[in-house]
């Protein structure tokens, strides 16, 4: 390591903000300094980014392997040979006794492209299992499925973030950027400074909604009805862009007929959003010369998330706000590499380059790169929740990398039980997460600042995280782990530990696929502040803006998909009369496995809470700070009350970052979207009780 600051990127959300790391004499050995030249955040960082080096400290992280040497015994320090040998033996034993599909692999949306690629290859080539998925399934899989149906291609944003302030109107659906991606809030501020307008759809009046020109607060679980209601008004008011629909789309008559069944007064009864607000939203969007709809987890984490996103895409297509400059639909991906993680092989049904596992040509191409028989590649496996639910039954051993489902999965207490019932569990992580604490073997792995690798941001921009310092002596990279395990399981070649060597193979595997990285190199990324995929050759400039000439369908036309509103999987009743919705707070991230180890972040957000409206609090006899039990059909969570008028009176909100008695995902419903297999995190029926009364 030199004294010069190393340019890199934040390890947390999908903005992948630019930062630099400067060496220091004190542990952990680096500090964050501003990197003003990176175009996405222009130097700005949230508290998580500023404090990211704190998790590099040996005080909070794993620094040596741990092995449970007897059933029910403690995790004890071990050498790498013993630990890797135990993992290889455990996976091999299950495969020999129960078949390859009895071995599962579960990955994470924070893994680099190289790790995601190697993990998918390891599962299918070394283990021969179809049972691989990742926690990114819980992120934007509904939007991905809707993208594929409508546009023929899935990329979170089909345009750069820099286009947002230059459009005329943005409808932001179910996203609280001020808490989840704070540096991106400036794009909405600049939008309004430029004369544009902002509409926010959220059942809570969040810090982001406070910036809006119009805030629509629908009842949780009714986003689909809302989208269909505004599309109905577009048609009824003659606001359809008939020329665009005729020349660049297909399927409009059927989608229009479906939308016309959702008249405004009906939509008001379903959503609670007054008709005048629906009309005002249509006026603001259609009067603007250009417009964008951006969705996030709110509408997507529902059992009808794919159709909900599809309805918003239909709205964009009907108004001519897609496939044109400064207009379009986009999804704000949450996890740091949620986009790249699914493009290159962690997802149950996909091969590298976003190829379909069921496509014979795709199997042939990837198998040729891997040097294996395409007929030997397994088919699609279970989706994330279905895989976790099968643990201890048909899936008897699990290798888990970079995820903490004990906190992050729906119906979390049940999933914790499934993990405990496994014959064998191995976890590779940087900290002893709640999930790692259940493992038979824990492998301590390197972090973002200690290794080089690529990620793909919310914009589809492929970026290079650079190594700024070495990991502790007892720590290895995930690629080294896979290299070692592959060798022990009979595959001495094909799993290099060098990330650039892995990326070069990834380029070949993705070539010709929908997510074509073949023209992207480490050198190009470093020189160009990232390269937008698809980039099908080293002479290709990359593709910052998709669909301007044609959509990625066979005939180049976008597809309207007819959808109709249906209720949430679980409605309120006399026993469970209140709706629960979940989300994040600015000072914690996802399951909190890393951020809960940072003193500054814990001081700002020390624990869970239950947010409720004063009218509901009065009805329950609740005061600020009272301990509340929130109870669903699946479990119970306890946290202090936070009373605010910023939430609907029929709804309570809980953040999901904490384990223990305040674990919000004890409550959430694993009902799955039939297309994306996304669980319904965002709405379930609960009752709220004062504790000790």
């Amino acid at each position: 390591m030199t004294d010069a600051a190393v340019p890199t990127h934040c390890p947390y959300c999908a903005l992948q903000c630019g930062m630099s790391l400067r060496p220091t004499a004190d542990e952990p050995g680096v500090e964050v300094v501003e990197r003003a030249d990176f175009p996405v955040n222009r130097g700005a960082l949230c508290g998580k980014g500023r404090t990211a080096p704190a998790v590099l400290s040996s005080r909070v992280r794993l620094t040596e392997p741990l092995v449970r040497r007897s059933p029910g015994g403690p995790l004890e320090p071990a050498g790498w040979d013993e630990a890797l040998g135990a993992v290889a033996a455990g996976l091999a034993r299950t495969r020999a006794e129960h078949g390859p599909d009895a071995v599962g692999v579960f990955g994470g949306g924070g893994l680099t492209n190289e790790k995601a690629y190697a993990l998918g290859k390891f599962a299918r080539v070394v283990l021969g299992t179809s049972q691989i998925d990742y926690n990114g399934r819980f992120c934007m899989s509904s939007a991905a499925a809707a993208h594929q149906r409508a546009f023929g291609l899935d990329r979170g944003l089909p345009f750069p973030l820099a286009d947002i302030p230059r459009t005329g109107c943005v409808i932001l659906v179910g996203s609280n950027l001020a808490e989840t991606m704070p540096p991106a809030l400036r794009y909405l501020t600049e939008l309004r400074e430029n004369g544009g307008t902002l509409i926010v759809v959220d059942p809570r009046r969040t810090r982001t909604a406070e910036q809006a020109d119009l805030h629509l607060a629908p009842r949780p679980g009714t986003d689909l009805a809302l989208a269909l209601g505004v599309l109905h008004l577009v048609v009824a008011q003659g606001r359809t862009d008939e020329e665009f629909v005729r020349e660049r789309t297909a399927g409009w008559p059927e989608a229009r007929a479906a939308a016309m069944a959702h008249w405004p007064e009906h939509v008001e009864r379903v959503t609670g959003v007054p008709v005048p607000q629906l009309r005002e939203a249509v006026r603001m969007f259609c009067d603007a010369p250009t417009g964008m709809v951006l969705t996030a987890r709110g509408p997507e984490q529902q059992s009808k998330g794919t159709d909900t996103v599809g309805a918003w895409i239909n709205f964009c297509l009907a108004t001519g706000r897609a496939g044109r400059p400064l207009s379009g639909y986009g999804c704000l991906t949450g996890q740091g590499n949620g986009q790249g993680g699914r493009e290159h092989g962690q997802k149950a049904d996909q091969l590298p380059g976003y190829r379909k596992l069921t496509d014979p040509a795709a199997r042939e191409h990837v198998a040729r790169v891997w040097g294996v028989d395409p007929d030997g590649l397994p088919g699609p496996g279970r989706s994330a929740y279905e895989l976790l639910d099968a643990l201890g039954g048909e899936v008897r051993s699990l290798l888990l990398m970079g995820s903490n489902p004990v906190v992050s999965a729906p119906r979390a207490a049940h999933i914790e039980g499934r993990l405990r019932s496994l014959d064998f569990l191995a976890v590779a992580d940087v900290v002893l997460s709640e999930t790692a604490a259940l493992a038979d073997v824990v492998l301590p792995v390197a972090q973002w600042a200690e290794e080089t690798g690529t990620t793909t941001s919310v914009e589809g921009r492929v970026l290079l995280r650079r190594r700024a310092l070495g990991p502790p002596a007892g720590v290895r990279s995930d690629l080294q782990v896979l290299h070692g395990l592959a060798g022990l399981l009979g595959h001495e070649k094909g799993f290099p530990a060098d990330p650039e060597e892995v990326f070069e193979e990834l380029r070949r595997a993705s070539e010709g696929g929908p997510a074509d990285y073949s023209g992207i190199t480490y050198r190009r990324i470093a020189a160009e502040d990232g390269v937008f995929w698809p980039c099908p050759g080293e002479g290709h400039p990359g593709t910052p803006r998709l669909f301007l000439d044609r959509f990625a369908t066979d005939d180049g036309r976008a597809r309207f998909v007819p959808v109709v509103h249906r209720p949430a999987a679980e409605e309120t009743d006399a026993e469970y009369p209140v709706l629960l919705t979940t989300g994040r707070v600015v000072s914690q991230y996802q399951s909190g496995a890393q951020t809960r180890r940072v003193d500054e972040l814990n001081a700002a957000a020390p624990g869970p809470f239950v947010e409720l409206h004063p009218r509901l609090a009065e009805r329950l006899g609740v005061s600020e700070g009272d301990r509340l039990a929130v109870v669903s059909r699946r479990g119970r969570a306890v946290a202090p009350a936070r009373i605010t008028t910023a939430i609907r009176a029929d709804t309570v909100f809980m953040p999901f970052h904490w384990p223990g008695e305040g674990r919000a995902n004890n409550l959430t419903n694993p009902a799955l979207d039939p297309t994306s297999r996304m669980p319904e995190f965002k709405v379930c029926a609960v009752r709220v009780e004062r504790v000790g009364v």
Side-chain angles (χ1 to χ4, degrees), residues 475-639:
V475 171
R476 296 185 183 180
S477 74
D478 293 279
L479 292 179
Q480 288 175 316
V481 168
L482 293 174
H483 171 82
L485 289 176
L488 290 172
L489 292 168
H491 292 258
E492 297 290 343
K493 296 182 179 179
F495 291 88
D498 177 72
E500 189 166 8
E501 188 175 347
V502 176
F503 189 78
E504 288 300 305
E505 183 178 302
L506 182 158
R507 292 175 61 202
R508 298 195 303 276
S510 73
E511 185 175 7
D516 191 333
Y517 282 32
S518 61
I520 304 176
T521 64
Y522 276 26
R523 176 186 52 78
R524 278 195 67 181
I525 298 171
E528 301 174 29
D529 278 331
V531 180
F532 291 85
W533 72 263
C535 183
E538 291 195 42
H540 191 280
T543 314
R545 296 171 182 85
L546 297 170
F547 313 138
L548 295 183
D549 299 317
R550 67 189 311 275
F551 294 96
T553 56
D554 290 341
D555 60 6
R557 291 174 173 266
R559 299 287 189 269
F560 282 99
V561 178
V563 296
V564 296
H565 175 69
R566 58 187 185 273
E570 186 174 81
E571 295 272 80
T572 56
D573 58 19
E575 188 176 3
Y576 301 98
V578 178
L579 292 171
L580 167 71
T581 192
T582 62
R584 292 183 276 166
V585 297
V586 67
S587 294
Q588 300 289 351
Y589 182 72
Q590 304 297 67
S591 76
Q594 295 181 56
T595 51
R596 285 187 276 111
R597 288 166 168 79
V598 179
D599 293 340
E600 180 179 329
L601 300 179
N602 280 331
F609 56 86
V610 181
E611 187 178 278
L612 71 165
H613 192 276
R615 289 204 298 273
L616 179 57
E618 183 180 9
R619 190 159 71 244
L620 296 170
V622 169
S623 300
E624 180 77 14
D626 284 353
R627 280 168 52 81
L628 299 181
V630 183
V631 184
S632 79
R633 291 177 175 86
R634 288 153 298 281
R636 184 174 188 264
V638 177

Side-chain angles (χ1 to χ4, degrees), residues 70-194:
S70 61
L75 284 167
E76 301 176 74
W80 272 97
D81 288 347
E82 180 187 358
L84 287 178
V87 175
L91 300 178
R93 182 169 57 249
T94 296
R95 188 176 58 178
E97 294 176 359
H98 303 285
D101 277 355
V103 181
V105 176
F106 199 84
L111 300 182
T112 63
N113 290 319
E114 293 81 359
K115 296 176 186 179
Y117 173 84
L119 187 62
K121 180 181 178 182
F122 179 85
R124 295 180 173 105
V125 173
V126 176
L127 299 177
T129 183
S130 66
Q131 300 303 303
I132 174 172
D133 211 89
Y134 82 129
N135 63 16
R137 176 79 66 172
F138 300 157
C139 180
M140 63 164 289
S141 58
S142 292
H147 285 184
Q148 294 281 8
R149 290 197 315 196
F151 304 139
L153 183 68
D154 159 44
R155 196 178 83 185
L157 292 181
F159 41 74
L161 285 158
D163 284 0
I164 293 174
R166 300 164 56 210
T167 194
C169 180
V170 168
I171 301 179
L172 184 66
V173 187
S175 172
N176 183 10
L177 284 178
E179 302 268 350
T180 59
M181 294 180 169
L185 192 64
R186 69 166 54 186
Y187 292 106
L188 302 181
T189 303
E190 291 170 4
L191 166 76
R192 300 185 71 207
E193 290 173 349
N194 292 340

